[in-house]
Amino acid sequence: MSEKYLTIADAAVAMRDGTTTSVAITQEILDRTATLNPALGAYVEVTADAALEQAAAADAALADGIDHGPLQGIPLAIKDIIAMREAPTTANSRVLDPEWGKGTDAPVVARLRAAGAVFVGKATTSEFALGLPDPDKGFPIPHNPWNVAHTPAGSSSGTGVAVSAGLALGGLGTDTGGSVRGPASVNGHTGLKVTFGRVPKSGVVPLGFSLDSIGPMARSAYDCALLLEVMAGYDASDPNAADVPVPKYSELLSGDIAGLEIGLPIPYFFEHEKLDPEMKEAVLGAVKQLVDLGARSEEFELPYANEAKDANHIIMVAEAYAYHRNDLVNRWTDYGYATRPTLARGAFYTAGDVAQAQRFRMMWSRLVARAFEKYDVMITPSAPAPAEKASEMTVSRRLLTPNYTGHWNLTGLPAVAVPVGFSTAGLPLSMQVIGKPFAEATVLKVADALQRITDWHLAVPPVEALVAAA
Amino acid sequence: MTGDDQKLDVVLEICGISPLPQDKEIMLKNFVTAREQAALLWGVAEARYEEPGLIFSAKL
């Protein structure tokens, strides 16, 4: 297997046993990016020179016996709503002030930099982490490496595409209603939405301030653990950052899930009329594999899941509207065709509607907490269906389609998307594992246990052939 | 104009939003869906007795 498809963990070992170097891995990724990025649209800006300098510094440090840990020399993609000092932050929008975050690192990027990571560039995002790609605005249009006619989902599309297509070994996404887990799900890798407050989100263009989180995206759950143990922890610059100890997540992925109690919430997540049968079958098959490893599972009724989806939407667009209100009045046409009507939805809810959504949120959180008195994790499909055709995506359709991820932003809980197979059309299928507050280690352990006995997360998309045929 | 058209125009005027003609169809759909979403949540009577925190924390 080529270096470009090594996991972070494998690359870290290879750099230390002399098999390869960060410069070699980074150069290969940059070459591959130069070839494929025009077709895949993973990056808004590639910071090649800086990346090679960082890689050389990582190699030199290792040669001098300075080892900052497994992320040293690892090429990462950074979603373009997160400040990174080598390149501007655009949020893929003509509206954001070009000076926003200029020349600075978000705390999460600074932590990765201190750990010796290499930054390949700024990865494509849906505009302000919300809209659909707009060919008229001059930003790359991301495509799914498994089938370029299908969506790579959003909003962390670029990071998802980069990880899947071998244009980075991992990266950062943000998740307000599923924007880490969606791209991980449809691009066939692992993505973790962290507990609200687990990773400081200062230095990130906000979408829904009470829902936003920054999460690791990588091929494996183990790689996500390696990223998270550097990313997580209190920072005073974020008023919502949680002052909770950060475990060494990677050391907690033992593979032992004997006695783990799994709850499968019904009816919404497993009996919805729009749930794809192949998705359901693949998720239940993965649950059976976990049971074979010693876990126990049972269905239980979790009411109001349909309402929870809408509560997440209402709170998200209300908070986003508050951020964008003046620009919507004064710069309507500078926003993309799909972004502006989506943001303007925030004007369609009354103050009472938003208060009721918040009251619902508390009730839903209590229902979920009650379920977690019995279960260690809940498992659902990550999405009702594999990646849809990009040409069929519309703003209205997105609103009316069921969603399995926003529920856990509403409660602030950690949830990881894990590959569990492929549809007959060759598109990735994905399972979501949800945990208690700050139980990232538990959800990652479940994902890792599955990945020790399956290799869905290591599958490589036939991207060169697809791009050539497109 | 339908009743929803008129309500949408009032909301847009109050908020100072001036969409392009080609945006109106999607905005009308969004408006109708938004009102349906809000009605759905108002239908959850149990939630009316909750007191949301000022800043949501992940503590359950």
Side-chain angles (χ1 to χ4, degrees):
Chain A
M1 186 176 283
S2 171
E3 286 175 338
K4 58 185 168 281
Y5 291 121
L6 291 171
T7 62
I8 291 173
D10 287 344
V13 170
M15 278 188 252
R16 283 159 182 78
D17 68 16
T19 308
T20 190
T21 64
S22 176
V23 167
I25 294 174
T26 301
Q27 187 63 63
E28 185 169 1
I29 280 176
L30 289 171
D31 292 346
R32 186 170 169 79
T33 299
T35 303
L36 293 177
N37 197 51
L40 292 179
Y43 287 102
V44 184
E45 181 162 344
V46 176
T47 50
D49 292 344
L52 286 171
E53 286 175 18
Q54 293 154 7
D59 288 336
L62 269 184
D64 288 344
I66 302 168
D67 192 338
H68 295 294
L71 299 188
Q72 184 166 327
I74 299 296
L76 302 177
I78 305 298
K79 183 178 182 178
D80 194 24
I81 64 168
I82 304 172
M84 183 184 103
R85 72 180 183 220
E86 289 86 356
T89 298
T90 71
N92 279 46
S93 180
R94 297 294 170 210
V95 175
L96 188 68
D97 181 349
E99 296 296 310
W100 192 97
K102 189 174 181 180
T104 66
D105 280 342
V108 66
V109 171
R111 288 173 179 176
L112 293 169
R113 191 185 299 279
V118 171
F119 303 111
V120 181
K122 301 299 288 290
T124 305
T125 170
S126 309
E127 185 177 16
F128 284 113
L130 187 74
L132 294 174
D134 186 338
D136 295 333
K137 295 300 179 191
F139 292 98
I141 305 296
H143 295 280
N144 191 315
W146 292 96
N147 185 329
V148 291
H150 288 249
T151 176
S155 61
S156 309
S157 346
T159 308
V161 173
V163 171
S164 177
L167 310 184
L169 294 186
L172 297 184
T174 61
D175 195 316
T176 308
S179 288
V180 161
R181 291 159 288 164
S185 167
V186 303
N187 293 303
H189 58 81
T190 308
L192 174 68
K193 175 228 171 287
V194 301
T195 306
F196 184 74
R198 175 72 292 186
V199 175
K201 54 189 172 60
S202 37
V204 179
V205 180
L207 174 57
F209 57 79
S210 77
L211 301 161
D212 292 341
S213 59
I214 307 173
M217 302 170 74
R219 285 202 169 269
S220 69
Y222 189 84
D223 284 358
C224 287
L226 292 175
L227 286 162
L228 184 61
E229 60 200 27
V230 171
M231 296 162 58
Y234 179 74
D235 189 289
S237 63
D238 176 3
N240 294 128
D243 194 2
V244 175
V246 179
K248 194 85 169 167
Y249 293 104
S250 59
E251 293 178 358
L252 299 173
L253 308 190
S254 61
D256 179 8
I257 57 166
L260 183 95
E261 298 284 350
I262 300 171
L264 306 174
I266 59 166
Y268 182 84
F269 294 99
F270 283 96
E271 296 171 4
H272 199 288
E273 61 181 9
K274 292 189 176 173
L275 174 59
D276 182 277
E278 289 185 321
M279 182 72 83
K280 178 176 178 177
E281 186 181 349
V283 171
L284 292 178
V287 170
K288 183 177 182 309
Q289 288 177 293
L290 295 172
V291 169
D292 290 343
L293 292 173
R296 288 189 289 268
S297 78
E298 66 176 18
E299 293 181 345
F300 74 100
E301 191 164 341
L302 184 60
Y304 298 120
N306 189 41
E307 288 82 352
K309 183 201 96 164
D310 284 346
N312 185 72
H313 278 170
I314 290 172
I315 294 167
M316 178 172 68
V317 296
E319 293 177 357
Y321 178 73
Y323 182 83
H324 290 277
R325 179 178 170 275
N326 290 344
D327 286 330
L328 287 170
V329 170
N330 298 312
R331 303 182 61 186
W332 180 260
T333 55
D334 287 341
Y335 287 97
Y337 79 94
T339 312
R340 56 196 187 223
T342 304
L343 287 170
R345 282 178 50 223
F348 301 162
Y349 302 107
T350 66
D353 295 339
V354 178
Q356 174 68 0
Q358 292 285 16
R359 296 196 297 189
F360 175 87
R361 182 183 198 171
M362 298 307 289
M363 187 200 85
W364 167 258
S365 295
R366 218 179 314 280
L367 285 173
V368 171
R370 202 170 300 148
F372 272 122
E373 290 173 4
K374 181 169 186 184
Y375 304 112
D376 298 302
V377 296
M378 295 184 203
I379 286 180
T380 74
S382 297
E388 60 185 323
K389 283 189 176 172
S391 59
E392 294 174 358
M393 291 180 69
T394 66
V395 174
S396 304
R397 184 173 158 141
R398 285 174 78 188
L399 276 176
L400 298 172
T401 303
N403 165 301
Y404 290 166
T405 49
H407 305 74
W408 319 113
N409 299 82
L410 204 58
T411 53
L413 297 176
V416 63
V418 193
V420 290
F422 289 88
S423 70
T424 49
L427 294 167
L429 304 170
S430 177
M431 173 177 88
Q432 179 177 220
V433 185
I434 305 118
K436 299 175 186 177
F438 300 101
E440 279 82 0
T442 303
V443 299
L444 288 171
K445 185 166 79 170
V446 173
D448 174 69
L450 184 69
Q451 291 177 346
R452 287 173 185 237
I453 58 170
T454 62
D455 58 5
W456 303 115
H457 59 297
L458 299 176
V460 175
V463 64
E464 287 93 342
L466 284 168
V467 167
Chain B
M1 290 180 87
T2 67
D4 286 329
D5 272 328
Q6 291 169 337
K7 289 177 192 170
L8 173 61
D9 284 346
V10 169
V11 169
L12 294 176
E13 184 176 353
I14 290 170
C15 295
I17 294 173
S18 305
L20 300 175
Q22 62 263 36
D23 296 326
K24 289 296 284 289
E25 182 183 347
I26 180 65
M27 294 196 69
L28 182 60
K29 282 184 184 171
N30 282 357
F31 179 73
V32 171
T33 304
R35 298 316 310 151
E36 289 171 352
Q37 287 178 317
L40 186 69
L41 286 191
W42 282 109
V44 184
E46 295 162 77
R48 295 184 189 172
Y49 303 100
E50 299 289 339
E51 292 186 13
L54 285 177
I55 297 176
F56 180 76
S57 79
K59 295 178 183 128
L60 289 177

